């Protein structure tokens, strides 16, 4: 083994350990018996594993409803984000017009704006519009946060698909919409599906907007944050909550791992 390859493998192991170690510790704490969890010194790997702590979290007040709220908000976010970003991304990928680069830069620049600055004006505006403490209001904010990301991905996916294929379809009798629907869309579907699932993960994990814009209709991250900061939730609740929130994201990332490169229009060429 060369020194360079040894360095690459060592760096990969360190990065993997950096990412996985907190997840492993949270998982072990989640399945540790509650009385053992507060012992000191406590063994890292418990002698006995139990689902008692996880079941306690799931049965806690508001957890199942908040989980359902998170799923609904994520679904609405995907629908709204793609309704805005799909036509925008296709136009940016296919057409050359004045200001195209400026629009691309403006889309990326919105991600540089700190969202915390908007917290108070956003809450006031949503109260006036009747959107405060509604799932639709949270979904609109999540959509605003997701649109730059989805637009860049959709643009990249369609740039990776040769326009000559659509032109060939149009010479054979298809109009522009039919060429898009029958040629470009099937080739872009893996990338778009991966982008949709990634948007789901972004919405599922988002906590800032969900916390400041809801009181009774909280999403799961907002409920857990409120339970920890305001109610002083016990340690086992915190570990179980963290594990319960991170598992769906890990499962989704695992399922779409083969499509992750498609997010940037690589494998559709």
């Amino acid at each position: 083994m060369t020194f360079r390859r040894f360095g690459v493998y060592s760096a990969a192991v360190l990065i993997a350990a950096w990412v996985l170690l907190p997840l492993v510790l949270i998982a072990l704490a989640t399945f540790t018996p509650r009385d053992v969890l507060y012992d000191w010194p406590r063994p890292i790997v418990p002698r006995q594993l139990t689902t008692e702590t996880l079941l306690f979290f799931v049965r806690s007040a508001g957890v199942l409803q908040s989980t359902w709220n998170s799923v609904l908000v994520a679904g609405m976010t995907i629908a709204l984000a793609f309704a805005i970003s799909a036509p925008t991304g296709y136009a940016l990928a296919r057409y050359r017009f004045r200001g195209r680069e400026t629009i691309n830069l403006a889309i990326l620049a919105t991600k540089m704006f700190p969202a915390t600055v908007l917290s108070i004006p956003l809450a006031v505006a949503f109260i006036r519009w009747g959107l405060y403490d509604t799932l639709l209001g949270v979904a609109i904010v999540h959509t605003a946060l997701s649109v730059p990301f989805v637009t860049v991905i959709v643009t990249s996916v369609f740039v990776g698909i040769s326009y000559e294929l659509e032109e060939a379809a149009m010479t054979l009798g298809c109009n522009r919409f039919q060429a898009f629907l029958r040629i470009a869309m099937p080739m872009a579907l893996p990338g778009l599906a991966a982008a949709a699932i990634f948007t789901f993960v972004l919405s599922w994990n988002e906590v800032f907007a969900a916390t400041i814009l809801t009181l009774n209709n909280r999403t799961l991250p907002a409920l857990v944050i409120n339970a920890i900061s305001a109610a002083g939730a016990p340690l086992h609740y915190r570990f179980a909550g963290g594990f319960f929130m991170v598992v769906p994201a890990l499962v989704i990332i695992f399922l779409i791992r083969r499509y992750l490169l498609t997010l940037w229009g690589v494998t559709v060429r």
Side-chain angles (χ1 to χ4, degrees), residues 249-260:
L250 290 178
V251 171
I252 289 174
I253 293 295
F254 177 79
L255 293 177
I256 68 169
R257 66 191 187 284
R258 60 181 296 189
Y259 300 115
L260 285 179

Side-chain angles (χ1 to χ4, degrees), residues 6 62-64 75 101 113 123 134 145 158 161 176 183 199 213-214 216 224 263 266:
F6 175 78
V63 169
L64 292 179
E101 297 302 326
F113 195 80
T134 64
L145 297 173
F158 282 115
I161 300 174
R176 181 177 290 276
I183 304 299
T199 305
L213 295 178
T214 57
N216 299 316
V224 173
L263 285 173
V266 175

Side-chain angles (χ1 to χ4, degrees), residues 8 11 14 23 30 53 62 66 72 87 104 130 136 153 173 179 226 253 264:
V8 171
L14 287 176
L23 300 178
T30 301
T53 304
S66 297
L72 287 179
N104 273 324
L136 178 60
I153 292 177
N226 182 67
I253 293 295
W264 310 107

Side-chain angles (χ1 to χ4, degrees), residues 55-115:
L55 292 177
F56 166 78
F57 173 79
V58 173
R59 292 167 182 167
S60 299
V63 169
L64 292 179
Q65 182 60 47
S66 297
T67 303
W68 177 240
N69 290 344
S70 291
V71 173
L72 287 179
V73 169
M76 287 189 287
T77 301
I78 292 172
L80 292 174
F82 270 82
I84 298 171
S85 302
T88 306
Y90 184 81
L92 291 173
R94 286 290 186 257
Y95 300 102
R96 300 291 181 268
F97 52 89
R98 181 178 296 179
R100 177 171 170 270
E101 297 302 326
T102 304
I103 293 176
N104 273 324
L105 183 62
I107 291 172
L108 293 176
T110 58
K111 298 300 294 180
M112 304 175 188
F113 195 80

Side-chain angles (χ1 to χ4, degrees), residues 54 57-58 60-74 135 138 142 203-207 210-211 214 216-228 237 240-248:
L54 192 58
F57 173 79
V58 173
S60 299
V63 169
L64 292 179
Q65 182 60 47
S66 297
T67 303
W68 177 240
N69 290 344
S70 291
V71 173
L72 287 179
V73 169
L135 299 182
V138 179
H142 287 188
S203 176
W204 175 269
N205 291 329
E206 201 283 330
V207 65
T211 301
T214 57
N216 299 316
N217 296 309
R218 293 192 183 276
T219 59
L220 185 60
L223 178 77
V224 173
I225 290 296
N226 182 67
I228 293 174
Y237 181 96
F243 180 80
F244 190 81
M245 286 193 297
V246 78
V247 165

